[in-house]
Amino acid sequence: MLVDIKRSITSFAFSMPDNWVHSLFGGAIISNEQVLDAQCQLACNFARFLPKLETLTPPKARKLHAENMQIFDEAPIGISHIEDKLIPTPSASFIPIRLYNAHPQKGNLPIVIYFHGGGLTIGSLETHDAFCRRLAYYSKVIVVSVGYRLAPEHPYPAAIDDAMIAYQYVRSIAYLFGGSPNAIAVAGDSAGGLLATALCIRAKKEKMPLPVYQALLCPVTDVSRESETYTTYADKFVLTRSALRWFIRNYTPDERDRKLVVNSPLLSDPKDLKGLPPAYISTAGFDPLSHEGEAYAHALESAGVKVQHRHFPSLIHGYFQMGGMIPAAKEAETDFLQSVHSFFATRKF
């Protein structure tokens, strides 16, 4: 009930005309010839009044993040089939996954294994539920959302190990839930994008069958160093440099692990990127991760990988879950959904 009230108040505020927003906050924000979307500017100012994630305990940070996603994301759409399952692991624990199939009457559907963002510290199956529903419905794929273990309780290599186990599991039972093991893509946002592309790198190294496609939304690609946009957009734009540092410390407390290519794929030797699956990579103009996302797109292209790099200059990190309030974010999300659909619709597997 409280979330509904907050959502209604936020919706009213975000209905203000752009010129009202600019007048309220001292004009439009311009950086590197990019103009921040007015609704994104409003979101950034709202975020200033929220507790900083890095000052909270991980459980409290996760709760706050989950509440914010309910406010800014679109309401969940109904789809035909959703199923929760548990993947057994060698350590006698289980990895929760959630399957989404909006078109169960069709067989041999493509599969997208999705890894949620959140710095490998926050985020869950629930925070990305509405987004995964849209991905399944509009891209006409089966989505498998993975609830990998989170840091700091479970530092490196927990998340990437869980990602690999989930990938192998989905490949092995794809036919049982109407999917094709020959048409599996991996996708993720932010740190989830890191897991998606790290999975491809590790699968190649271990001589496993590769995914056919990788979709990375504002991905983390280098935790070993801070790019120039870490400084340019250090604060005031929702995702901050201090929060990123907190996430990185949580997952890789041993600094030596930060230079491993599964944690910093941007450090990969070009030959190790050669042969990786085609990629969709998005970056946002006012995002501390924008430089490393763009650099990774160039690195893949230089290695001969086909890349669709989409840059959205007016948006901020996390735009893909702000479509409920920000029209420009909804347009950018639609570009991603259409790209996934187009990739599978134009190929036979």
Side-chain angles (χ1 to χ4, degrees):
M1 186 58 142
L2 183 58
V3 170
D4 291 336
I5 294 172
K6 288 181 178 179
R7 184 178 175 82
S8 296
I9 295 172
T10 304
S11 181
F12 176 77
F14 274 70
S15 67
M16 284 193 297
D18 291 2
N19 61 319
W20 288 21
V21 175
H22 292 154
S23 297
L24 188 62
F25 297 111
I29 295 178
I30 303 173
S31 176
N32 296 324
E33 301 182 348
Q34 302 175 132
V35 182
L36 182 64
D37 176 85
Q39 277 70 44
C40 285
Q41 186 174 355
L42 191 55
C44 292
N45 279 279
F46 274 20
R48 291 169 50 202
F49 297 98
L50 296 174
K52 296 183 184 299
L53 292 176
E54 62 273 24
T55 67
L56 304 174
T57 63
K60 288 184 177 179
R62 291 165 193 152
K63 184 174 184 294
L64 176 64
H65 175 68
E67 291 173 352
N68 291 338
M69 290 305 96
Q70 290 185 65
I71 293 170
F72 280 89
D73 204 352
E74 296 178 74
I77 61 173
I79 64 172
S80 302
H81 181 76
I82 299 177
E83 180 182 0
D84 287 333
K85 298 177 75 69
L86 294 173
I87 302 175
T89 71
S91 62
S93 60
F94 295 89
I95 303 167
I97 60 173
R98 183 169 294 170
L99 280 67
Y100 300 82
N101 189 347
H103 310 278
Q105 68 278 13
K106 298 180 180 179
N108 212 36
L109 283 170
I111 300 168
V112 175
I113 301 176
Y114 197 86
F115 303 104
H116 67 78
L120 305 174
T121 299
I122 59 177
S124 66
L125 298 181
E126 298 302 331
T127 60
H128 285 62
D129 178 72
F131 181 78
C132 288
R133 288 169 183 251
R134 297 193 297 273
L135 176 57
Y137 184 84
Y138 293 109
S139 298
K140 296 180 171 58
V141 298
I142 294 172
V143 174
V144 180
S145 182
V146 181
Y148 56 86
R149 288 172 292 170
L150 298 176
E153 297 93 333
H154 304 284
Y156 172 79
I160 184 60
D161 283 351
D162 287 358
M164 294 300 296
I165 291 171
Y167 175 62
Q168 292 171 297
Y169 176 82
V170 171
R171 284 189 60 84
S172 69
I173 69 160
Y175 284 128
L176 297 181
F177 56 82
S180 169
N182 301 315
I184 298 178
V186 289
D189 61 275
S190 194
L194 169 61
L195 290 180
T197 200
L199 183 153
C200 296
I201 292 171
R202 186 164 151 183
K204 180 189 175 188
K205 182 178 180 181
E206 296 178 7
K207 295 181 169 51
M208 294 170 53
L210 292 175
V212 297
Y213 189 61
Q214 53 179 326
L216 320 176
L217 303 174
C218 297
V220 173
T221 64
D222 190 351
V223 302
S224 71
R225 55 193 168 177
E226 297 182 357
S227 68
E228 60 188 58
T229 46
Y230 262 70
T231 300
T232 306
Y233 307 112
D235 52 25
K236 301 179 182 177
F237 299 100
V238 181
L239 179 63
T240 65
R241 179 170 58 187
S242 59
L244 283 167
R245 289 173 173 173
W246 182 62
F247 291 144
I248 292 168
R249 287 196 304 271
N250 285 342
Y251 186 60
T252 51
D254 187 338
E255 293 186 17
R256 293 171 297 181
D257 291 333
R258 299 174 192 174
K259 294 184 179 180
L260 300 175
V261 294
V262 289
N263 294 325
S264 296
L266 193 53
L267 302 182
S268 297
D269 188 292
K271 72 176 187 299
D272 295 326
L273 299 178
K274 188 176 179 61
L276 291 187
Y280 173 99
I281 298 178
S282 76
T283 50
F286 292 80
D287 180 0
L289 298 177
S290 61
H291 185 271
E292 64 189 72
E294 180 180 6
Y296 191 57
H298 290 324
L300 287 174
E301 286 180 318
S302 296
V305 176
K306 185 176 181 180
V307 177
Q308 285 182 302
H309 175 212
R310 300 284 201 262
H311 183 65
F312 301 103
S314 69
L315 297 182
I316 57 177
H317 189 85
Y319 70 80
F320 27 83
Q321 289 185 288
M322 297 180 180
M325 296 292 169
I326 302 174
K330 179 62 179 176
E331 292 176 12
E333 181 198 280
T334 299
D335 179 81
F336 162 68
L337 298 177
Q338 290 177 342
S339 293
V340 174
H341 176 255
S342 296
F343 176 83
F344 287 112
T346 55
R347 290 165 175 79
K348 291 184 179 180
F349 295 96

